[in-house]
Amino acid sequence: MKKRAVLVAGVFVLVVWSSPLLAQGTALPIPDGPVAQDIPGAKEIPDAKTEYKVLFDVGQAAPKDTDVNPMLLATARYLNTLAKVGVPPEHRKIAVVFHQGGTDIIMNNDAYKARYKGQDNPNVKLIQQLKKAGVEFHVCGQA
């Protein structure tokens, strides 16, 4: 019984001690982007062996032209969450499609400023980070 308690305590200490080290070694694709919170007892956790093919649909602008589009933030959260649980980049196939009222957010900064009275495009930085992380971007041909 005593050996078992020592073994359990040893495993607990090892897990607790190594968790911060493991977390530090996990580089997120979008370092300053959101990540889904851990939910104790969650049944659906991404599997590192599964290839994830996900499309995010952006059909409307953010509530204010100074805000980052919520769907871009959702894309970053999803990407970071997959990375956090160990899904390798080659198993993360993510694309974003822009149409209707969502097309302005993909404009370069100069075009955005011209349309929005000198306002910088708040989406540029996140779009660049997502592209660097392998996310594909497409604009509807009828938009």
Side-chain angles (χ1 to χ4, degrees):
M1 183 70 169
K2 185 177 178 183
K3 286 183 181 178
R4 186 176 189 189
V6 169
L7 178 62
V8 169
V11 168
F12 177 78
V13 168
L14 181 62
V15 168
V16 169
W17 178 75
S18 65
S19 292
L21 297 176
L22 292 173
Q24 290 173 359
T26 304
L28 297 176
I30 313 300
D32 55 344
V35 181
Q37 295 180 347
D38 292 330
I39 306 295
K43 303 292 184 215
E44 297 294 325
I45 297 173
D47 178 6
K49 294 179 250 165
T50 300
E51 184 175 60
Y52 292 87
K53 295 180 180 180
V54 179
L55 175 71
F56 287 86
D57 180 63
V58 180
Q60 57 186 347
K64 294 189 265 179
D65 59 4
T66 56
D67 292 343
V68 173
N69 189 281
M71 285 307 294
L72 290 180
L73 292 171
T75 305
R77 180 178 299 106
Y78 186 76
L79 178 66
N80 275 348
T81 301
L82 289 179
K84 177 184 170 188
V85 298
V87 176
E90 60 271 13
H91 289 182
R92 302 186 303 239
K93 312 291 187 199
I94 300 173
V96 179
V97 174
F98 300 92
H99 60 95
Q100 297 175 335
T103 55
D104 286 1
I105 69 170
I106 197 77
M107 292 178 168
N108 69 35
N109 200 48
D110 290 337
Y112 194 90
K113 285 171 88 168
R115 181 164 292 176
Y116 292 97
K117 301 176 185 156
Q119 168 64 44
D120 284 322
N121 185 342
N123 302 287
V124 169
K125 178 183 176 190
L126 184 54
I127 289 170
Q128 290 171 344
Q129 290 176 318
L130 289 166
K131 284 179 83 171
K132 184 176 178 184
V135 174
E136 294 181 15
F137 290 91
H138 304 278
V139 178
C140 174
Q142 297 182 21

